[in-house]
Structure formats: structure tokens, C-alpha cells
Amino acid sequence: MSGENLKGKQTTAQKPLEIPSWDLVLKRNSIERMKQEKFPLDIINELPQLIAAGYESIPEEDIVRLQWWGLYHDKPKVGTFMMRIKIAGGYLTPQKLRAIGEIANRYGKGYGEISTRQNIQLHWIRLDDLPAIFEHLQVNGLTTAGGCGDTVRNITGCPVADIDRHQLFDVQPLIQEAARFFYGNRDYSNLPRKHKITIAACPFQCNAPEIHCIALVGAIKDGRKGFAVRIGGGLSSTPRISRDMGVFVPYEEALEVLRAIIDCWKENPRYRLSRVKARLKFMVDDYGPEEYRRMVEERLGRKLEDFQAPEPIGETDHLGVQPQKQSGYFYIGFPVPVGWLSGDQMLKVADVAESVGGDIRLTRQQNFIIGNVPESKVTWVVHQLEKIGFPLRINRIWGRSIACTGEPFCNYSVTETKTKLKEILERLEARFGDAIAGLKIHLDGCPHACGQHWVGDIGLQGTTARETDEQGSKIQAYDIILRGGLGRKTAIGKQILRRIPSNLVPLYLERLVEAWLWFRTLRNTNGADYTFRDFCDERTDEELIAIAEGRLTAQKLMLKIAPELAMAC
């Protein structure tokens, strides 16, 4: 669809949208110019010359093009890179996990981390080693193509799509088909910005369809397998919850519809003019889901069936020992504190999974699952994984809380992330024990929200404090975001406390959690159902700030709102 054909389209407010010329796009957007001058995926053909010239001689534009092969500068920018390995649906054979562990040990100082998009990320990767690494990945059926850059990023889904008893149907074949089509596809590697797709038929919607550019939400209509479609979700500094397009797409038409949705966006120059306003969510803002549906139908040449996207039936994290739909088999979800998974651990986990004929699945919460474990081997697998460093008998908060890469690797991060989350969780667990097992804390080092701070029970976004230290240097600090969440109470959280110095954050959170648990205890038998989100929803901003700052205790608050009950307690 050309820019000329797009002119005159109406927004939901009936205001015509201006469609810029490509000349204007190329004048204003340096990344679009860069992509026109040399297609980013082609940079792989120049690796021998880049290596021979040396890191210091590589033009910055070519460093940017390396993003299309899953490579970002590590911090500081001295010639090492983060490498993002795409793992469609989070599914790995033991052979593939072993290959990643071998690369981590040989080229990345043994470090690895699970991302919120079911990838594995490595660090300390050097330019000289890329040819050998890419060869090892290819031989083992792995890729980094489109791991970063203006591409279709890793396609996510429910990690137990093919084995969980609650799944409506198995979407793993569709995820793999979509990955084969989009990953490294030149037609979908020159998008206006990054693009995130999720596909699942998990009735709990564990894959977070609310925050994706496109979410195919499994449904059954008139006995047919298919999907509702949500569009326009995303986080970063301008968070959006995806919106229901109001259609049903039969399973066999899903890939065609995915392409049509992306094509409407990628061929509209309006979303290439500014990088800040380039994501699909801004096009959905401008046109609305109804008009977007009309454009998709026009491209398809047919009407789509009316349908309302289903609500999730509850919440799950797929942790612990769970019976599969295949009789006699179980999957076991292991918490991975802050997503850290070393090369040695990858090798050992792969060996355990292989020895029982199982496989490995990565989760959005930065955990992993061993699938297809025979019932007779469950206890043995649990024991072996505990020896590797992943005990099941651990406070569930470690498997429900997430942190982005952050310091010391990410050039965008201004604060500690994984180490800070570890400090916070250790303090809360020491104080409150299993009472906080259901709590979800999401921590990011910058506004990009890779750690999804907008939708945690407690969100933390790295920033700097208003004051400086004695040497005049900036002090690490965090915004505290509350009232966010996914599922049946989906909401973008609100920044309640701003620029709280790092050393005070654990204390502020401890006070908030203490007040919540005090109110939960008052509810006696109903207390277990009283969530931290419920507590925050019932409080005013001023009350939450006062509790966090230590100016208001739960008891004093109860005296204010229910004096008779407070006196009885």
C-alpha cells in the first residue's frame, strides 16, 4: 500500500492523517537512511573485512547494523558485545541448550541470562569470534537473525504449549512456522521499528498478550481452532495495553493475517518519520482497532469473522511439578533467580534433560522448565537440578520477579538491576518469608522496560536521585510504580514515588509490604485472596507515599478508616 493510497484515511476522530513522502522520511530519520544505504542483514558478509580492519576502525553505522544479527555493544564500548539468541516459543532441545552453553563458556566468560522474550543472552562476545560462533549456532539449528534491530523479534508463547493439560490446542507448530518465515526474512527486516508477536492457546494467557504488538489469543469458535487478535500493546516510556481487533482467525489463516497486520504498518511512511513514534502501538492509537481491522481486511481481500477476545481464566507461572496431558509424564518448572544461567549450568541442565528424554522451555518470567519427564524420573530430576543450583524448594517470589540486563552490561541502564533485585528479594524474604511468595517485583535500569516494570505488583525504574554524593556525582535511584498488572486486572502502573535513592528503596518496599500483610491478616480466612494490588488499589497516592516514607503505619491508617476494627485488633 503506497503512501499516496494511504492519504485521506480517517482516524477514529475523523481527522485526516498526513502521510509524509519518503524523501522527508530519509531527510529526518538517520536509521532509515542507513538501512537504504546498506541492508543491515548484509553486514554478515563483511565480517572478514571488519575483523581485519579492527574494532576501532568500524564505522558506527556498521556497529548499528550488527544489531540485525542480535548484537549490542556491551558497556563500556570497548569491543565486546551482548549476543541475543532467538528461541521461538522458548523451546530448546538438549542439543541446542548445550550448544549455547558451549558458546558461553568458550567465548562469553561462562555468563548467560534468560530474557523476558524467552531468549538467552550472552556477553563479552568479541568480533573476532563471531564467524566461529555463527557456525556453531547454525550447525545446531540456532540463530540470532533479527535478535535486535527493526525486525520481528523472538516470537513468544506459552512455554508448555504442547504438553500442558489446560491448553486449548497446541500452537507450537504455528510458532515454529512463523519463526521460520519471519526470522532473517528481508521483507520483514526493514520494519519501522522492532516488532513483537506472541502466540498462545494457554487459557491463563501466561504469555502477556496485553503488552505485545500483535497477540494471537487461542480460542475455539463453532468447534474450530483459531485465534482472537489483539494489537498495539507495548511498554517502554509510552506504555500501551493491546486492543482487541474484534476478529476470529482460523488456525490455518494465522500466518497470513500476521503478515497483513505488519504490512499495513510497515508500508505506511508516517511510522518511519520519527523513531520515537514508530512502533505499531502509535498506528493503533492513530487509527483505532476498528479502522485497522478494515485496512487488514482490505489487504486480505475478505472480511474477517467477528469475535471478542477471551479473558484469562486465572494466573499461572508454570512452576513446580505439573502433570502433562501425555499420561505418565510431567513437566517441572524451576525458578531461576534474576534469570542468571551460567554456561556450566546450561551444559548440566541439558545433560539431565537428555538423560530422561526431556526438553527445555524458557519462560517469560526468566525461568526454565524441563518437559516430558517420565513419572519415575521426577524425583531424580528435581534432585539433580537442586545440585546444579536450581532448587524447587525456594520462595516462589524468586520465580515471579524479574530484572532486565542492566548494569554492568547495558549502555542504557543508569542503575543496578539484577544485583539490586537480588538484594531486595533477600531482604523481603528474610523479613516476611513465604507470606510474600505471590508477589511480583519487576525492575528496570532505564525507561525501555525490558523488565516490564509497568506491569509488576511493584515496578522499579532506574533513574538518578535529585541530590548528589559528597563528590558531586550522581546517586542511583528508582521510581516506584504501583497498581500495575496483567491478566484479569490488566493496568499500566503509576509512578507513585519518584527518584528514591537506591539505599532507601528496600526500606520503602518493606514498609509497603508490611502494611499490605497487616491488612491481609485482618481478613482472616479471606486474607490469601487479598493481593498487594488490592491493597494499593484501595489506598490513595498520598497514603501509599506516607506508608513508604514511614510517616503512616498500617495501624494508624486503620484507625483513620475503621477505628472500631482497629481498636478490636
Side-chain angles (χ1 to χ4, degrees):
M1 192 179 296
S2 70
E4 288 298 317
N5 290 335
L6 286 163
K7 287 183 179 178
K9 296 298 182 186
Q10 303 291 304
T11 68
T12 52
Q14 303 302 309
K15 180 182 178 182
L17 294 174
E18 292 185 18
I19 306 300
S21 69
W22 270 99
D23 286 342
L24 184 59
V25 168
L26 295 176
K27 179 179 179 181
R28 291 194 181 177
N29 191 325
S30 63
I31 300 298
E32 289 296 333
R33 289 198 304 274
M34 179 209 74
K35 291 188 289 184
Q36 293 282 333
E37 291 162 1
K38 185 196 300 180
F39 198 77
L41 283 176
D42 291 342
I43 194 68
I44 196 169
N45 300 322
E46 300 179 21
L47 273 182
Q49 296 93 314
L50 297 178
I51 293 169
Y55 166 75
E56 293 80 6
S57 302
I58 300 175
E60 183 59 30
E61 291 83 359
D62 284 343
I63 295 291
V64 174
R65 291 184 180 99
L66 287 172
Q67 293 177 14
W68 270 248
W69 288 97
L71 295 160
Y72 273 120
H73 261 308
D74 267 338
K75 182 180 181 179
K77 296 181 179 181
V78 294
T80 61
F81 295 84
M82 179 204 82
M83 172 175 277
R84 181 176 293 155
I85 301 168
K86 295 173 81 170
I87 302 162
Y91 177 82
L92 284 167
T93 63
Q95 174 192 347
K96 290 182 177 182
L97 181 61
R98 185 177 295 113
I100 298 171
E102 288 167 350
I103 293 170
N105 282 349
R106 194 173 304 157
Y107 305 107
K109 298 186 179 181
Y111 180 92
E113 58 195 16
I114 304 171
S115 83
T116 55
R117 293 207 61 74
Q118 297 173 295
N119 302 297
I120 290 180
Q121 298 179 167
L122 309 179
H123 293 273
W124 286 294
I125 301 300
R126 303 192 67 83
L127 201 65
D128 299 17
D129 296 322
L130 288 179
I133 292 173
F134 285 139
E135 181 180 1
H136 197 59
L137 289 171
Q138 185 177 16
V139 166
N140 287 282
L142 293 161
T143 187
T144 65
C148 313
D150 298 345
T151 64
V152 173
R153 300 294 183 87
N154 195 45
I155 299 172
T156 68
C158 173
V160 288
D162 55 332
I163 57 176
D164 186 70
R165 295 179 303 163
H166 302 289
Q167 302 290 312
L168 297 179
F169 49 87
D170 182 9
V171 302
Q172 193 63 244
L174 177 60
I175 291 175
Q176 299 304 323
E177 179 188 6
R180 286 191 297 272
F181 178 81
F182 286 115
Y183 292 5
N185 186 327
R186 295 176 74 87
D187 291 338
Y188 294 90
S189 298
N190 180 16
L191 303 178
R193 280 293 299 275
K194 60 186 174 184
H195 188 78
K196 298 181 178 180
I197 298 172
T198 191
I199 304 171
C202 174
F204 297 96
Q205 298 182 16
C206 70
N207 57 316
E210 304 92 339
I211 56 174
H212 280 76
C213 302
I214 305 176
L216 299 186
V217 182
I220 303 289
K221 183 183 181 188
D222 302 328
R224 294 173 296 148
K225 297 186 297 183
F227 302 93
V229 182
R230 297 179 62 110
I231 56 173
L235 296 177
S236 195
S237 56
T238 51
R240 297 285 189 275
I241 297 300
S242 63
R243 301 165 72 179
D244 186 4
M245 209 165 79
V247 300
F248 177 83
V249 176
Y251 186 102
E252 60 273 11
E253 298 175 13
L255 182 56
E256 180 188 18
V257 172
L258 283 176
R259 292 180 62 184
I261 294 171
I262 298 173
D263 289 346
C264 289
W265 166 62
K266 79 182 179 75
E267 295 179 12
N268 188 329
R270 179 180 176 85
Y271 303 98
R272 294 182 184 267
L273 194 62
S274 166
R275 300 286 290 176
V276 176
K277 294 284 188 178
R279 293 286 299 277
L280 180 71
K281 62 186 175 183
F282 296 109
M283 187 169 177
V284 177
D285 282 353
D286 287 343
Y287 288 92
E290 298 84 5
E291 175 63 12
Y292 207 110
R293 171 182 175 173
R294 190 200 65 75
M295 290 188 286
V296 170
E297 290 174 333
E298 182 179 287
R299 180 171 287 274
L300 292 170
R302 65 179 185 275
K303 293 285 187 180
L304 295 170
E305 301 176 48
D306 292 336
F307 192 71
Q308 183 176 352
E311 292 282 323
I313 63 171
E315 183 182 0
T316 185
D317 49 26
H318 298 301
L319 292 175
V321 178
Q322 307 290 343
Q324 294 183 187
K325 67 181 183 182
Q326 295 87 0
S327 179
Y329 288 87
F330 289 75
Y331 69 81
I332 311 170
F334 291 90
V336 181
V338 301
W340 280 329
L341 185 65
S342 74
D344 285 343
Q345 288 174 323
M346 291 183 216
L347 299 178
K348 292 175 182 177
V349 170
D351 288 344
V352 171
E354 189 172 63
S355 69
V356 298
D359 47 44
I360 303 97
R361 294 117 187 286
L362 309 179
T363 81
R364 181 181 64 83
Q365 296 91 346
Q366 301 175 321
N367 303 312
F368 68 78
I369 294 165
I370 304 290
N372 291 303
V373 179
E375 184 173 7
S376 62
K377 295 292 186 179
V378 168
T379 301
W380 181 83
V381 169
V382 170
H383 179 64
Q384 294 303 308
L385 268 291
E386 184 169 357
K387 290 197 295 185
I388 295 170
F390 301 108
L392 273 190
R393 290 177 293 181
I394 185 175
N395 194 310
R396 212 175 187 97
I397 194 172
W398 289 98
R400 295 169 66 86
S401 297
I402 56 181
C404 72
T405 296
E407 288 199 348
F409 300 114
C410 180
N411 285 283
Y412 295 108
S413 182
V414 295
T415 61
E416 294 178 88
T417 52
K418 292 184 181 295
T419 52
K420 189 64 183 180
L421 179 61
K422 182 173 180 288
E423 173 196 341
I424 290 168
L425 296 183
E426 287 174 343
R427 176 166 178 162
L428 294 180
E429 183 181 21
R431 174 76 191 279
F432 303 112
D434 289 339
I436 58 166
L439 199 62
K440 297 183 286 289
I441 301 178
H442 294 188
L443 192 152
D444 276 303
C446 81
H448 289 171
C450 300
Q452 304 172 355
H453 62 264
W454 291 112
V455 292
D457 292 330
I458 297 172
L460 298 169
Q461 181 194 307
T463 181
T464 54
R466 294 179 177 87
E467 62 270 25
T468 58
D469 63 19
E470 294 177 357
Q471 288 75 40
S473 301
K474 293 178 180 179
I475 296 174
Q476 292 190 6
Y478 299 85
D479 292 339
I480 299 177
I481 296 100
L482 304 175
R483 304 198 191 100
L486 298 173
R488 299 183 71 86
K489 294 182 69 176
T490 292
I492 297 297
K494 182 177 181 181
Q495 291 170 314
I496 301 295
L497 293 118
R498 303 296 297 270
R499 302 176 73 175
I500 306 303
S502 178
N503 65 309
L504 294 178
V505 168
L507 176 60
Y508 276 39
L509 299 190
E510 185 177 318
R511 289 167 176 161
L512 287 166
V513 170
E514 180 182 35
W516 159 54
L517 293 176
W518 197 85
F519 272 80
R520 191 173 78 173
T521 300
L522 289 183
R523 293 173 179 255
N524 297 320
T525 56
N526 294 325
D529 297 325
Y530 184 67
T531 66
F532 184 82
R533 169 73 180 279
D534 294 333
F535 169 75
C536 292
D537 285 346
E538 292 175 0
R539 309 277 78 80
T540 66
D541 292 358
E542 292 73 20
E543 288 170 344
L544 292 170
I545 292 169
I547 291 169
E549 292 178 344
R551 296 183 287 107
L552 179 65
T553 64
Q555 294 88 335
K556 288 181 180 179
L557 178 60
M558 183 61 77
L559 278 172
K560 175 183 173 183
I561 62 178
E564 294 181 2
L565 182 58
M567 294 299 291
C569 295

